[in-house]
Amino acid sequence: HVVYQGRHVVVATESGVLARVQARTGSVHWRRVFPSGESIDALCAHKKTLFTFSKNTGKASMWQSIDGTLVWDQIIAQPAAEGVGADAFSHEDLDHDKDGIQDVLVLSNNVVTLLSGADGQVLWATPTEESQQSGPFTKVMAGVDDGAVYTVASTPKGEMIVRSFDLQNGAFRNEKSYQAVTGFSHFNGE
């Protein structure tokens, strides 16, 4: 995972390394190595902080981006089953608890959780429950303008399942299925 913060790049690896590197020179500003078995499966950048999530341990953490100091961490989910993905989403306008600090959506083990960016408190958590025709939901995002949270899953036939939930309380709104594009051929110009 890579995010850009001005003149710096923050990298996070599945082997559990989080580092801030100066983009122009490549010099490492700071580096944190997580305990053995704790991967970094999701990374979000805020103005002055970074959010990480490990599906192996269910641990969510917020870090100061300037020096890598841990702000808070807590276990929010059971460790994910083998093959289950994790995702996180944040946006400058995502401030559910109105404390002036960006909140974070996390998707792991088919549960969407909204966390306070200030202290990691769970604001709400909603199971997405696997669709009968799809596998686990693997992406989460929010439409801040429409007050919805969206989760995405795909089926073995290439269809996309999108479920929406209310951003205020996590209540289920609806589910839509989108058919796969078929009969498409790629032309490479040769």
Side-chain angles (χ1 to χ4, degrees):
H1 307 284
V2 177
V3 294
Y4 299 93
Q5 287 190 315
R7 294 181 221 166
H8 293 89
V9 177
V10 177
V11 295
T13 68
E14 289 182 10
S15 60
V17 176
L18 179 66
R20 186 174 194 218
V21 178
Q22 188 171 40
R24 193 172 54 102
T25 65
S27 66
V28 176
H29 190 223
W30 56 259
R31 179 175 177 250
R32 301 292 176 262
V33 179
F34 288 29
S36 178
E38 188 173 329
S39 59
I40 302 174
D41 301 293
L43 173 67
C44 290
H46 299 146
K47 290 180 182 175
K48 296 181 181 181
T49 57
L50 300 163
F51 174 82
T52 59
F53 179 74
S54 171
K55 69 180 182 181
N56 296 351
T57 60
K59 186 190 288 184
S61 305
M62 189 70 74
W63 308 84
Q64 288 290 341
S65 61
I66 194 78
D67 62 6
T69 303
L70 181 65
V71 177
W72 58 257
D73 68 347
Q74 76 166 4
I75 305 296
I76 63 162
Q78 295 294 319
E82 190 67 33
V84 173
D87 192 28
F89 175 86
S90 189
H91 185 274
E92 63 186 19
D93 293 330
L94 182 58
D95 185 13
H96 180 272
D97 53 4
K98 307 293 184 221
D99 60 4
I101 299 172
Q102 288 174 250
D103 299 326
V104 182
L105 284 163
V106 179
L107 173 64
S108 181
N109 278 339
N110 281 321
V111 175
V112 179
T113 305
L114 180 63
L115 298 174
S116 168
D119 59 11
Q121 176 185 351
V122 175
L123 301 174
W124 57 255
T126 300
T128 60
E129 298 176 13
E130 277 188 38
S131 173
Q132 290 182 353
Q133 65 267 29
S134 76
F137 285 80
T138 58
K139 290 296 290 176
V140 65
M141 61 205 81
V144 178
D145 293 338
D146 66 359
V149 173
Y150 300 95
T151 59
V152 180
S154 59
T155 68
K157 295 180 181 178
E159 296 169 306
M160 187 171 62
I161 309 293
V162 178
R163 285 202 181 141
S164 66
F165 302 87
D166 191 289
L167 183 57
Q168 290 304 308
N169 57 20
F172 176 78
R173 283 189 176 179
N174 63 31
E175 178 178 305
K176 293 184 181 179
S177 176
Y178 299 92
Q179 297 298 316
V181 176
T182 59
F184 182 81
S185 65
H186 176 48
F187 177 73
N188 64 10
E190 292 179 9

